[in-house]
Amino acid sequence: MTMPILSNIFELMSCLEFDVFDVSSWRVAESKLDLTVIGPGSGVPGKLVRNTADPAYSAQPISAKTPGKLYFINLEVMSRPNETTVLLPKRASSIRPKHQSQVNEGSGRTLNPLTLQSLHLLNDLRYTTRMFLSGDDHKTGEIRLQEIRRQSVLGQFTASALAGNAVFGSVFYALPAVVAVSTVYSPISLIIATFVLFLWRPIMEELGSALPMSGAPYTYILNVSSKSFALIGATLLLLDYIATSMISAATAASYLVGEVKLPIPELGFAVLVLAVLTLISLLGVRESARIALFILTFHMGSMMVLVVSSLLHLGTTGSQQLRDNWNSRSPSSPSSIWQQVFYGICLGMLGLTGFECTPSYIGRIKEGHYPLVLRNLHLPAIALNGTIMVLVLANVPLETVLGGANVLSVLAQTTAGRWLRIWIVIDATVVLCGGVLTGILSACELLQQLAFHRILPEFFCLKLSITESPYVSVFSFVAFCGMLYASAGASLSMVSQMFSLVWLTVMSLFPLALLLLKLDRGRIARTPNTHVLIVFSSIVISILVFAGNIALNPATAGYFLVYFLSITTIFKATQNRIHLLRWVYWLCDEHPCLHSLMLIKIAKVKLIDLMLSLKSQPICILVKTSEFNQLVKMISYVRNSEETSCIKIVHFNDCERGIIPVLEAHAKILREDFPEFLIDLIIVDATFNPPGVMALSNRLNIPTSLMFMSCPGARFPFSIADFGTRIISL
């Protein structure tokens, strides 16, 4: 049988899915054919080298495609010492020539059919590796575990402050929006909107108890559903954080410009606010939380002064202004009343923006403090929003409120004079800057999680050595904010309209994630156990409020879809980088006029090296039992979600000895069923616990974010967050 030449990109692309055969005991010289091999013995790990007919072979770098020679490309780089790896197509038919006249020009060599048959039998030479974790390995694992646990530095008040500035600062832009549609019924709408959040609190507490991982609800969905669905959640979260930061910065600029004349335009001041808060976020989470706590304390003190002064003014002047406002805008029909209240609820829930940011940094919150943080955010919001709205209607003419003035500064001017108005303007600027900080820090946690899961490049995890702040994520998020704001024509109204729908869809992700957790990960231990009726009620309310916002302004749906589809497309492209690189290679190879350009030649070699590097990243599957169906489901998940050609099935053998022969037999079947993967079975003689998994991660050089496991049971003694692994099956 003669050998064809790989002469076009389609054949080259088909060669990117080859099996790897261990041939430490097989003489390559028997094939009498020049082959491409990869091996640690080459001295050039991860590079293409030539194997001549000499079994000892010489390590000579070669190009990806050389006329007259046949070079097989594989995406797995072997790491076992003292072994040679020969790269061959996964099927014999893939090297069969279309016509017998096709020969390997320049050599005229043929492949012995007996040798070809021997190659298929080499599958049996794959190993089941026994691994022993030494005392040093366990020490390394314990150190890494303690490093993860030390990241939980936020108590209930500092953690509340990070999101609290966004929650309580939203009063400056949510109240005018609610009054515009609900008029005198605004207090009723706001109170109902804040009470609705009682449905979400047990849902968020149960999810946080089951999966205390930063980056939620993206990480929740990733552990209970598919990676594609999780990407949708990541898109919505990123849009939410961008909108939170941009609206807070723009509103702070608007408040300040409305009171004083600045030497720079309003847009310039918003950019300046974003830049200053970017520098503050580089101080790290702990220091940023302390600054946020100071800002929140100042804001709550300011609100108390405003409430007291308004009550004193109301006691002096009486309730005549409230009666006048009621009589001037009170609707005549019950249907109009219900409509105004409903639309007010739809916009009033935006007064709780920032609440959804809390789960994004749950991994930084000390154990047991997360429910307290949710309580600290919710109960003051109920008291503050409704009270402030009643005091506005009782002291300020409704026409002034509807005229677009800075509502709370007007209330301060009316009830106490100029000094309090200046104070409230300063407070608005400061607390809204805190809202910017909330968006930045929440987004950084999300971007790091996306990098851990190979959706974004690894450099998003780079940190400053002093503060351990992820500076690449910080600057990238600020750049995202700038691009989105610029694409919106620097229009605050456009971003605000999109924000209303983004926030509602993000809040709907929590009940959806909990519903999937109950269905597909029901064994995992968690508290409390939220009734399914509450879950469905929150989903229904999300749909109704979402529809109400679209009914108020249908243009919001258009803005929402444009930004949502744009970012989702970017995430999809970064997740499927190898497919994208293959298309780039195809474009370069399809046009003969480009072949002579040195830059194109170098680019094509670099593209192949990059594809090899991406595909060679192994995935680790941690298994407890030998159930074949479970193994098939887990490998199928990897095939559908991850770009890799190497899977390592790992079993911690701490008690059951009889399971190992069954696993070995099943692993052999899986290699036949999934020929596109190099499947290794590793038996670890150690106890399955967080330090052991960390030690294994260090030994295999596989991050725990790329280690998958099945759902633990209710009596599982460890926290999922300590492992850092992903749950992919029941």
Side-chain angles (χ1 to χ4, degrees), residues 309 356 395 397 424 431 454-455 508:
S309 65
E356 79 286 1
N395 292 280
I424 294 301
V431 75
R454 298 208 301 175
I455 296 172
S508 68

Side-chain angles (χ1 to χ4, degrees), residues 41-311:
S42 67
V44 193
K47 300 295 183 182
L48 296 173
V49 297
R50 176 178 298 158
N51 188 322
T52 63
D54 182 2
Y57 73 89
S58 59
Q60 300 175 349
I62 61 174
S63 62
K65 229 173 32 171
T66 302
K69 303 291 183 182
L70 179 63
Y71 297 105
F72 297 113
I73 299 172
N74 190 278
L75 301 181
E76 166 63 18
V77 180
M78 299 299 295
S79 59
R80 300 193 185 98
N82 303 322
E83 291 181 3
T84 303
T85 302
V86 178
L87 309 179
L88 292 171
K90 60 185 180 183
R91 300 181 185 86
S93 60
S94 62
I95 62 172
R96 189 183 306 277
K98 296 180 180 179
H99 304 286
Q100 291 298 323
S101 60
Q102 291 178 322
V103 295
N104 191 354
E105 297 178 5
S107 66
R109 294 169 179 165
T110 61
L111 182 63
N112 190 323
L114 294 179
T115 303
L116 183 61
Q117 183 179 6
S118 300
L119 295 178
H120 288 282
L121 296 177
L122 290 174
N123 243 345
D124 295 334
L125 295 177
R126 286 172 172 154
Y127 299 108
T128 297
T129 305
R130 299 298 295 262
M131 182 180 294
F132 298 90
L133 298 179
S134 63
D136 291 338
D137 291 328
H138 284 287
K139 185 177 180 180
T140 301
E142 189 64 38
I143 291 173
R144 292 182 60 181
L145 178 61
Q146 293 305 319
E147 289 176 352
I148 293 176
R149 289 177 174 173
R150 279 197 295 270
Q151 294 178 359
S152 301
V153 296
L154 302 179
Q156 62 164 314
F157 296 113
T158 50
S160 301
L162 277 179
N165 286 310
V167 174
F168 303 124
S170 62
V171 69
F172 288 102
Y173 54 81
L175 295 190
V178 175
V179 174
V181 297
S182 195
T183 60
V184 294
Y185 298 102
S186 300
I188 299 175
S189 298
L190 283 171
I191 292 174
I192 294 176
T194 52
F195 269 89
V196 165
L197 209 58
F198 276 111
L199 295 175
W200 265 265
R201 273 180 55 189
I203 291 173
M204 298 172 74
E205 289 176 11
E206 183 173 352
L207 286 169
S209 172
L211 301 167
M213 304 174 182
S214 294
Y218 157 74
T219 48
Y220 296 157
I221 300 173
L222 186 66
N223 282 273
V224 301
S225 184
S226 66
K227 195 172 184 179
S228 298
F229 186 23
L231 280 181
I232 295 175
T235 300
L236 294 171
L237 278 175
L238 186 59
L239 280 174
D240 179 76
Y241 301 150
I242 290 175
T244 297
S245 297
M246 290 308 306
I247 291 176
S248 296
T251 306
S254 175
Y255 250 83
L256 200 58
V257 168
E259 301 298 328
V260 297
K261 187 175 182 180
L262 298 176
I264 57 176
E266 183 176 332
L267 176 61
F269 185 78
V271 173
L272 179 63
V273 168
L274 197 61
V276 171
L277 270 297
T278 299
L279 296 177
I280 292 177
S281 65
L282 293 177
L283 297 176
V285 174
R286 185 194 295 268
E287 296 303 322
S288 299
R290 289 173 177 171
I291 294 174
L293 181 59
F294 171 78
I295 293 174
L296 182 61
T297 303
F298 175 74
H299 173 63
M300 297 307 290
S302 301
M303 291 297 101
M304 290 298 297
V305 172
L306 181 61
V307 168
V308 171
S309 65
S310 299
L311 289 174

Side-chain angles (χ1 to χ4, degrees), residues 19 113 148 171 263 476 606 647 691:
D19 267 348
I148 293 176
V171 69
S476 299
K606 294 294 184 181
I647 297 177

Side-chain angles (χ1 to χ4, degrees), residues 301-342:
S302 301
M303 291 297 101
M304 290 298 297
V305 172
L306 181 61
V307 168
V308 171
S309 65
S310 299
L311 289 174
L312 292 176
H313 183 268
L314 181 62
T316 303
T317 60
S319 59
Q320 184 60 43
Q321 184 63 64
L322 180 61
R323 287 194 295 268
D324 292 342
N325 288 336
W326 180 270
N327 294 329
S328 64
R329 292 283 178 167
S330 180
S332 57
S333 64
S335 61
S336 299
I337 296 175
W338 285 109
Q339 185 180 39
Q340 289 188 13
V341 171
F342 173 69

Side-chain angles (χ1 to χ4, degrees), residues 28 145 295 334 371 376 379 388 394 414 417 430 447 451 459 511 544 561 573 631 682:
V28 181
L145 178 61
I295 293 174
N376 295 344
L379 297 184
I388 291 291
T414 303
V430 172
L447 295 176
F459 59 74
L544 291 175
L561 285 176
L631 292 171
I682 301 176

